[in-house]
Amino acid sequence: MTTTIADRRIEDAGLEAGIARLTPEKIQKTIQAVLAGEGGARLKTYVETCVRCGMCAQACHYYMSHKDPSYAPVAKVRQTMWEILKHKGLVSPEFIHQCAQIAYTECNLCRRCMHYCPLGIDTAYIMSFVRRICHKLGVTPQYIQDTAHSHSATMNQMWVKDDEWIDTLKWQEDEARDEMPSLRIPLEVEGADFMYSVIAPEPKFRTQLIYQAAFIFNQAGVNWTMPATPGWDNSNMAMFTGDMEIMGRIEMAHFATAQRLRVKRIVMGECGHAFRAIYDVANRWLGWGMHPVPVVHSIEFFWELLNSGKIQMAKKYPGPVTIHDPCNVIRGRGLMDKLREVVHAICDGVVEMTPNREHNYCCCAGGGVINCGPPFKNVRIVGNSIKAEQLKATGVKTCIAPCHNCHGGLDDIIHKYGLGMELKFLGDIIYECMEKKGAS
Amino acid sequence: MQADQAWDWEPGARTVLEDATACAAPHEWTEEPEASPDGERLAAVANLGDGRFTVCVNAEPWETDFEKAWYLRFSPDGRLTAVTMEDGMWTVSVDGESWEESFDFAWGTTFSADGGVIAACIQSEGTYGMIVDGTPWETLHENANNFRLAADGLHTAAAVQVKSLGQADIATFQQGIFSVAVDGEPWDAIFVNCFDPAIEQKTGRAAATIRRSLYDYSVAVDGKAWDAAYDCAWGPVFHPGNGQVLAPVRKKGLWGMAGDAGFVWNPAFIQCHHPQFSADGATLAAIVAPSFGKFTVAVNAAPWSATFPVVTDLRVSPDGRTVAAQASNDNAAFRVLVNGSVWPGVYDMAYGPVICPATGQVAVRVEKDGRQAFVLGGKAHPETFDRAFNPIFSPDGAKVLLRGISGKAYKRIVAPVSAFTG
Amino acid sequence: MLELYALAVGPLAWLAFGVFVIGSLARLFSMYSLAKKKDAAFLSYMTWRYSLRSIFHWLIPFGSLGWRENPALTVVTYVFHICLFLVPIFLMSHIVMWDTSFGFTYAALPDGLADGLTVAVMVACLFFAWRRLSLPEVRFVTSTHDWLVLVLVFSTFSTGFLAYHQIGDSLTLTTLHILCGEAMLIAIPFTRLSHMLFGFFSRGYIGSEFGGVRRAKDW
Ligand code: HEM
Ligand code: HEM
Ligand code: SF4
Ligand code: SF4
């Protein structure tokens, strides 16, 4: 069935309030300024070069789930950027609502479509550009905008106050000492080998992950530290709302913290989008060609720990398990082989999904989509029935997904489609099955 | 770090502590040690078992012990501070004496330049502020961050939340809920965000980068915002001579330096941050990127010709004649930059150049192949350490105090400038 | 008609080739300047190695996920594009014209083969047209512009075909063919057909990002 974005309008406090402030003239002025300032050869080439062949349709899980052409990557561009350019920005507030709904909630910026487009058109970039315009127009979904506000006010995503962060680490250190009396979460240690950074939902809701990481690092005997200042959060929702200035400020704080601590590397928890922000988005906005301090995703770090023998598995996790490849560290960083080596080292039996590796389907939570909150929840769950089928086809009961967003997204579809699967982080399994010599 | 003539400046090496991890009390472990500025003491937090902690100075424990003790820091005048907790309440302990008042949380100890004033951040019943030499702000706020203590220690400032915010209330946030509090008292003006406050010495005037809307960055001085709006801005600095406030700002994708009246450095840089004045204000330096991915230092708007993937740790001598920084590539291959020229040495890590206020000479603690060493004017001192502390010049600049741990021993070395021969 | 023919093979032909060549160079140059001015950061990630690696994989039929998942289109588009270059360049009637104008010749396709390939292009155009009409995801994004370029290609090949087979008035059709061909050449730098110019750069850029920065394949 063919619909258009107009047929599926969703009410959102942020979007409604945003468009209420707009007139076509105001919109045009802002859009022209954004195009003049930031629209360069990439945008121009992409829009002009696209031959409208529709090959990219099958790339997108939204299209594959709905089989509605208006969800195809190129269709998203048609319903947003092409119209904007055709009308030189003179479009209605309602049209901007549609742009925002598409760009923020119907595209995960997962970059799968680049494997389908013969011309290499980066639809994710175009959607990011539409988001930038929407941000500049003040039309952003309420919940993700709130996280961007939090970032600006606290340098973390969840309004965690300066003391709450430290307090949480001290608390987790205490908890973990019941299990390993000598355990430390070393704060502010200058010259440590690496700084461990996490996303704000960890201290807020998933403290167990900090506990586990601390346990693994202590058991491995590595020289690490965590900062006791803002700059600890590696997540970056401003990157997804289109607030590049706050995006840059967050990463500036993050890198400056690592530089202040004189660590060799930043090791980050199992999060995908944070990796993207640090690895090849925000650093560029700040003028750095690559990250100024190397950033190592947990997948790679666990791989190092296992390969160097610093941690040993007491047993293997009973399988079979399947592996979900998070876009931002697979298409975004090529960690598919290391991920497999780690999973094979810690689990008994792996059933691969098809397609997998660089071709894997997105979880449909990434790109800030899950952060747009309840109004759009159904869209991303229904929009990923293809993933549900993919999971189901493996026939296994455990899925390993080394990414927070993926957990959120997959959890929802597992429930919705009654898949009865359990989701695991690598850290969950390593912590559960490793040799715990240091434990009392 | 201002050195004192009264310290032991007799050239030579002395082992201050045979075992840097020692603690005279029965203990489970000791943590990362800190060295006093004069090099005479080495301190570390010690875990006494049963969830008790204390601080050991030259292996001698403080008389008190705590439920928690961490963030051990020497103030520039040599007093030793720790953030400590007892009965669930936190405070700062100075040389073993806890400040009278304790709070639901205390953290982030800072010092005035001469160390005479000690301040920290506090949270009490969910309200936030600062505490200076044991005296908390009278007014605490729903939230506060970006805490600052003026270099002369006379005033404190922070970005403070002055209006409440409901869950996901994006409208109220965008109307503004933040201000800057100086000594606890907020400005009348309210902004969407306040970043990186700076405090002028003596006068206590404060300036901060602000966001008036999600898009409009500017600078506010004592609550009064500049008219001009920029696309982005980093933290401001005060001209030490005339009190003028300058900040790196971004316009049309390029960064420059602006004051109240507009640009003083044309926006010609891909990046520009960490501006720093000499004491007389005649020299203004900043880290800049003349083109994408190529960083260097600009002095009075003129960038040095050598560029690097990353430049950090900019330092300007009081007389402005020496400007130093360090460069790196992928957080390795560290180089030291002084007045536009590059030292020959390439290091695995550098810990920030230290400029002698008297002579303008530059010394740096560096690391190579797991050993730390000291380099002065590009030449290394023969001694290497497992872990060292930053070098300190003697008041006349003729000697450098080197502090470090090698094997188990903590040593203090007074090295004449001529001893740097490598 | 003769005058028109003379105009078409003379001044207009010069014009068409001139506009095509100079226009293409100008567009490439101006796009490069724009990229240097506004996307300098992104340009700096382009590398020969990874650009060519990506282009190479995408030049192989079924060499990429996109091709594999669209098999019919893949076959047709390869035939279409190969013939698109092969036929006009190696067509005897075209080489004859080079010869009369500039006095040089080179090997030609046998006429029968060229004729067959021409038919293949026309069939491919019909296939493209069918897609645009029948496949919802293609129809959803199709505009007049897409039809225009398709019609241009189709007209050029079909009029050439008709002229060659002397169906209808030969002079009129040849003239028409030449005019269509010229229109198409002129259109290349300024319409969607510019994908011939920019396609390698967009693919090369994304290939460089995937290969050099993200260390993943993009095919
Ligand atoms: C200045 C431009 C052109 C001129 C002067 C020209 C001239 C001609 C002539 C004289 C013929 C032979 C007709 C006959 O035998 O009566 C011909 C045939 C043909 N031309 Fe062109 N042409 C031009 C451009 C093009 C272009 C741009 C294309 C395609 C991209 C093209 C494709 C063909 C084809 C497919 C045939 C028919 C071949 C066959 O069926 O065997 N021509 N052209
Ligand atoms: C080296 C140069 C070229 C390359 C690499 C190239 C590549 C492509 C690709 C990848 C597609 C998309 C797949 C498809 O829809 O078939 C395409 C479509 C197309 N190309 Fe080209 N092309 C080139 C030159 C040309 C030229 C010179 C023309 C015509 C003058 C042309 C006409 C077309 C048309 C009309 C389509 C759209 C088919 C449709 O309607 O779906 N191409 N090209
Ligand atoms: S969700 Fe992924 S595949 Fe779909 S349009 Fe966005 S980037 Fe492309
Ligand atoms: S595959 Fe590429 S060229 Fe074809 S419609 Fe999609 S974006 Fe356009």
Side-chain angles (χ1 to χ4, degrees), chain B residues 356 359 361 393-400 415-418:
Chain B
C356 175
T359 63
Q361 294 181 93
F393 283 96
S394 65
D396 62 0
K399 293 161 219 146
V400 190
V417 165
S418 59

Side-chain angles (χ1 to χ4, degrees), chain A residues 13-14 21 134-143 145-146 148-150 152-155 159-164 166-167 170-171 173-174 177 181-184 186-191 228 230 243 245-246 248-249 252 256 259-260 262-265 283-294, chain B residues 29-32 47 53 68 70-71 73 90 105 107 123 126 128 142-147 165 167-170 173-174 178 193 195-196 209 211 214-215 217 231-234 250 255 270-271 273-274 291-295 309-313 315 326 328 330-331 348-352 365 367 387-388:
Chain A
R21 291 188 290 255
C134 292
H135 159 73
K136 285 282 192 177
L137 289 167
V139 183
T140 48
Q142 177 191 10
Y143 285 92
Q145 185 58 42
D146 183 61
H149 289 166
S150 171
S152 76
T154 64
M155 289 295 123
W159 301 101
V160 177
K161 292 170 179 167
D162 288 14
D163 63 319
E164 292 171 344
I166 305 171
D167 201 19
K170 292 280 174 203
W171 166 47
E173 187 181 58
D174 271 349
R177 277 180 185 162
S182 67
L183 180 140
R184 284 184 62 201
L187 299 186
E188 291 288 314
V189 177
E190 188 195 65
D243 190 342
E245 291 74 16
I246 292 297
R249 188 172 294 270
M252 187 74 166
Q259 288 168 333
R260 176 174 62 75
R262 313 284 179 196
V263 294
K264 304 280 189 300
R265 310 189 289 179
N283 55 312
R284 296 183 182 186
W285 190 87
L286 290 164
W288 285 310
M290 286 302 288
H291 40 44
V293 178
Chain B
W29 71 75
T30 58
E31 304 190 346
E32 297 72 24
N47 175 298
F53 290 83
K68 288 191 188 305
W70 75 292
Y71 206 67
R73 293 290 182 272
W90 294 81
F105 213 77
W107 73 101
Q123 179 261 112
Y128 290 77
E142 232 173 289
N143 194 6
N145 48 38
N146 288 263
F147 299 97
L165 188 69
Q167 280 257 321
D169 181 356
I170 59 175
F173 182 86
Q174 288 179 25
F178 278 92
N193 289 109
F195 303 111
D196 303 322
T209 294
R211 206 161 59 139
L214 296 187
Y215 323 104
Y217 287 78
D231 299 336
C232 196
W234 301 121
R250 180 175 157 112
W255 290 86
I270 295 294
Q271 186 52 267
H273 50 66
H274 291 94
S291 63
F292 180 76
K294 296 192 158 75
F295 282 79
V310 178
V311 171
T312 57
D313 296 273
R315 310 274 189 271
Q326 65 187 38
S328 57
D330 204 22
N331 208 34
D348 299 338
M349 178 58 70
Y351 291 80
R365 169 163 60 114
E367 188 178 308
R387 160 152 172 47

Side-chain angles (χ1 to χ4, degrees), chain C residues 5 8-9 12-14 16-17 83-85 87-88 91 93-94 97 110-119 121-122 153 156-166 170 174 177-182 184-185:
Chain C
Y5 175 80
V9 288
L12 282 183
W14 279 102
F17 278 98
C83 297
L84 200 60
F85 286 92
V87 176
L91 186 69
S93 343
H94 284 182
M97 303 203 70
D111 272 7
L113 179 62
D115 204 31
L117 298 183
T118 302
V119 174
V121 170
M122 293 192 297
V153 177
T156 305
F157 278 79
S158 54
T159 50
F161 180 81
L162 293 176
Y164 172 75
H165 288 278
Q166 315 256 325
S170 173
T174 306
H177 163 71
I178 296 169
L179 289 174
C180 284
E182 288 166 349
M184 194 178 87
L185 280 176

Side-chain angles (χ1 to χ4, degrees), chain B residues 95-331:
Chain B
D95 288 332
E97 290 286 320
S98 295
W99 282 344
E100 234 159 75
E101 250 182 289
S102 57
F103 306 89
D104 291 324
F105 213 77
W107 73 101
T109 324
T110 52
F111 310 100
S112 59
D114 65 4
V117 178
I118 301 173
C121 319
I122 51 165
Q123 179 261 112
S124 180
E125 291 168 357
T127 57
Y128 290 77
M130 293 186 79
I131 175 165
V132 183
D133 285 333
T135 311
W137 281 359
E138 273 170 34
T139 320
L140 298 182
H141 304 270
E142 232 173 289
N143 194 6
N145 48 38
N146 288 263
F147 299 97
R148 296 289 185 277
L149 170 65
D152 61 8
L154 294 180
H155 299 276
T156 47
V160 295
Q161 184 181 336
V162 291
K163 282 189 179 172
S164 300
L165 188 69
Q167 280 257 321
D169 181 356
I170 59 175
T172 304
F173 182 86
Q174 288 179 25
Q175 283 154 19
I177 60 169
F178 278 92
S179 186
V180 168
V182 178
D183 302 327
E185 297 316 310
W187 291 342
D188 292 335
I190 296 177
F191 303 103
V192 174
N193 289 109
C194 295
F195 303 111
D196 303 322
I199 313 170
E200 191 177 34
Q201 299 198 42
K202 296 196 188 96
T203 64
R205 288 164 68 221
T209 294
I210 54 156
R211 206 161 59 139
R212 273 180 292 225
S213 70
L214 296 187
Y215 323 104
D216 165 359
Y217 287 78
S218 193
V219 168
V221 184
D222 285 344
K224 192 178 173 320
W226 292 350
D227 293 333
Y230 299 96
D231 299 336
C232 196
W234 301 121
V237 283
F238 280 94
H239 185 293
N242 60 22
Q244 190 192 6
V245 174
L246 297 180
V249 298
R250 180 175 157 112
K251 189 117 203 170
K252 294 207 166 105
L254 291 172
W255 290 86
M257 194 82 69
D260 197 2
F263 280 101
V264 295
W265 289 13
N266 283 331
F269 299 110
I270 295 294
Q271 186 52 267
C272 173
H273 50 66
H274 291 94
Q276 204 175 314
F277 274 110
S278 59
D280 58 1
T283 303
L284 174 65
I287 296 168
V288 299
S291 63
F292 180 76
K294 296 192 158 75
F295 282 79
T296 188
V297 170
V299 179
N300 294 333
W304 293 342
S305 54
T307 61
F308 304 87
V310 178
V311 171
T312 57
D313 296 273
L314 175 66
R315 310 274 189 271
V316 180
S317 68
D319 64 7
R321 274 194 238 140
T322 310
V323 177
Q326 65 187 38
S328 57
N329 184 10
D330 204 22
N331 208 34

Side-chain angles (χ1 to χ4, degrees), chain A residues 59-62 73 76 107-113 123-124:
Chain A
C60 189
H61 45 284
Y62 283 98
K76 298 175 197 183
C107 174
N108 301 99
L109 312 179
C110 76
R111 299 179 177 139
R112 189 167 193 265
C113 34
T123 304

